[in-house]
Amino acid sequence: MATRKADVLIIGGSSIGLNCAYYLLKSGRQVTIIEANEIARGNASGNAGHIVPSHIIPLAAPGTIGNALRWMLNPKTSPFGMKVSLDPKYLWWLIRFALACSEANVQRAIPPLNSLGQLSARNFSQIIVEENFYCHYQEKGLLFLYKTVKAFEGAKREAELMRRHGIPAEILDKAALHEREPAAQDDVLGGVHFTGDAHLNPALFLKLLGERVRLMGAEVFEHTPVTGFDVTGGKIRTIKTSAGDFEANEIVLAAGAWTPLVARDLKLNIPVQPARGYSLTMSATQAMPRHALLLGERSVAISPMGDLLRLTGRLELSDIDRTVSAKQLAGIERATREYVHLDEKLNIHETWAGLRPTTPDGMPIIGRSPRHNNLVIATGHAMLGLSLGPGTGQVVAELVNGQETAFDLSPLRVGRF
Ligand SMILES: Cc1cc2nc3c(=O)[nH]c(=O)nc-3n(C[C@H](O)[C@H](O)[C@H](O)COP(=O)(O)OP(=O)(O)OC[C@H]3O[C@@H](n4cnc5c(N)ncnc54)[C@H](O)[C@@H]3O)c2cc1C
């Protein structure tokens, strides 16, 4: 079979890969997407659809480990879980994560997460308007709900910190909260409203983005896993796939939780650990929430999407395994009922599990490979891979084109681990 030629070849056609394709095509490059399954399906289609520039505090922060251990004492309600394994790579990841749970890591992560979040939020609203995408996009903010004084007080302190970084946050006492969100249960005692956030239906958005990049000229190979690479002289010469070999001027690796597996020939340290989560999508309920919600003490996300309502939750350090757990979905539904009014009988449309690509320091990995002069890596967006997609697409296009990037990418560089 003859080797095919590409200008920019993108591996992975989900949130990050499609956004990179969009901005590269806009900049005048030719794009080829290689996707193991179908584009726009990946691990983003069933997610909560939250676009959250307010999320500037990384997962690796003081208090995360204490919370995780406390939660795990009660497995029935815990929003967190982890596999037990002696795999040295997994143990190394856990140790690096534990070491990163520090104030210094939070201070290091805030500037790049803030810049990427703001850029992405601006790009989202521009794409939605310019491309005329109908995907239930709503700029109504993200509303956190609290049932305990302790958690609400902590949230107020966090909101103050975020305000100092330019994130709009409104603190709502009980009366104001219930006026703003009538779907809340009576004993919800307050909330914090991050009014600069938004939400949408991620499956619709990605489907439209996939169609758009095809119309712009992207060549798309679906059901075509990348199986390896030939490298000589610091350059990837061949990308091997199930449909034959490719050569490319530039390669963008955006394979989410699979990135370390795809990159195994490349002698790079890309510590991306899958973290599974679940979602439950149903017909609109009678007391449909008006806002995208986050249940403070339970870490469950709620997303009204037109005539659908989606509940998402759990973060389980796992293998590459997208098996849906009925037990975990029942826990997510139970937690939701504690905070908002749900119909007694739900009309379920879809149950889903997806993998978040998580890094030990809670920041994405975006940058050129230190060993290959034609490879850019864009992965590790963890719980923000939808939210940070359009900003990542823009800066990856800038990197590939040798332009100055919209903000300093050095804290996100590939070789930092
Ligand atoms: C329950 C849940 C809720 C979430 N909620 C939100 C949210 O509200 N907001 C938000 O921003 N994020 C959210 N996320 C996180 C978000 O979904 C992920 O960060 C995002 O999917 C990562 O995008 P990605 O493109 O990097 O990777 P993925 O979506 O995992 O896509 C990787 C792609 O690479 C392909 N691939 C793998 N191997 C190969 C290969 N060998 N060759 C070619 N292609 C390959 C895969 O098939 C896949 O299509 C949530 C995640 C979960 C699980």
Side-chain angles (χ1 to χ4, degrees), residues 13-15 35 37-46 206 258 322 352-355:
S14 180
S15 175
E35 166 54 54
N37 293 302
E38 284 166 24
I39 61 163
R41 304 278 299 168
N43 287 286
S45 58
L206 292 174
W258 288 270
R322 295 180 58 184
W352 180 88
L355 301 172

Side-chain angles (χ1 to χ4, degrees), residues 82-99 273 317 360:
M82 60 192 280
K83 67 173 181 177
V84 177
S85 162
L86 293 177
D87 173 4
K89 281 198 175 134
Y90 176 60
L91 295 177
W92 181 90
W93 190 98
L94 289 176
I95 293 167
R96 283 298 299 247
F97 180 81
L99 292 173
Q273 163 63 42
L317 301 179

Side-chain angles (χ1 to χ4, degrees), residues 8-248:
V8 185
L9 182 144
I10 299 175
I11 303 169
S14 180
S15 175
I16 301 302
L18 290 178
N19 276 293
C20 291
Y22 178 76
Y23 284 94
L24 281 159
L25 287 159
K26 272 186 96 155
S27 75
R29 302 297 296 245
Q30 302 285 312
V31 167
T32 301
I33 301 174
I34 308 286
E35 166 54 54
N37 293 302
E38 284 166 24
I39 61 163
R41 304 278 299 168
N43 287 286
S45 58
N47 79 19
H50 291 184
I51 297 165
V52 282
S54 63
H55 277 38
I56 57 169
I57 298 181
L59 194 57
T64 302
I65 293 191
N67 281 340
L69 293 174
R70 238 186 336 274
W71 281 328
M72 283 197 304
L73 291 176
N74 193 348
K76 244 183 127 182
T77 58
S78 176
F80 174 75
M82 60 192 280
K83 67 173 181 177
V84 177
S85 162
L86 293 177
D87 173 4
K89 281 198 175 134
Y90 176 60
L91 295 177
W92 181 90
W93 190 98
L94 289 176
I95 293 167
R96 283 298 299 247
F97 180 81
L99 292 173
C101 285
S102 66
E103 192 48 42
N105 188 55
V106 172
Q107 293 310 324
R108 237 187 336 265
I110 284 178
L113 289 180
N114 203 357
S115 301
L116 189 54
Q118 300 297 336
L119 177 66
S120 295
R122 282 197 300 277
N123 286 358
F124 256 116
S125 41
Q126 198 174 351
I127 294 177
I128 303 280
V129 172
E130 276 180 14
E131 305 297 351
N132 205 11
F133 281 0
Y134 180 70
C135 52
H136 302 294
Y137 174 74
Q138 302 226 303
E139 291 181 353
K140 285 176 144 188
L142 174 66
L143 182 52
F144 279 68
L145 307 183
Y146 294 96
K147 292 186 74 164
T148 61
V149 174
K150 188 171 170 221
F152 189 31
E153 290 304 317
K156 286 183 193 167
R157 283 192 297 277
E158 212 163 79
E160 280 309 321
L161 167 76
M162 279 140 106
R163 275 181 183 155
R164 286 201 292 279
H165 290 279
I167 307 291
E170 225 180 299
I171 292 167
L172 305 176
D173 64 13
K174 189 166 182 176
L177 181 273
H178 285 270
E179 197 185 325
R180 193 155 305 183
E181 184 47 86
Q185 292 282 9
D186 294 347
D187 58 350
V188 173
L189 56 77
V192 179
H193 195 178
F194 292 101
T195 50
D197 292 353
H199 75 282
L200 48 63
N201 180 324
L204 280 182
F205 174 77
L206 292 174
K207 180 172 170 286
L208 291 166
L209 192 59
E211 288 168 4
R212 186 74 191 109
V213 299
R214 281 187 204 260
L215 275 174
M216 290 164 88
E219 205 182 358
V220 178
F221 291 82
E222 294 185 300
H223 306 290
T224 306
V226 168
T227 52
F229 301 91
D230 283 333
V231 179
T232 48
K235 186 169 183 201
I236 296 178
R237 305 286 166 178
T238 314
I239 303 102
K240 299 180 201 166
T241 81
S242 62
D245 291 352
F246 286 76
E247 284 173 9

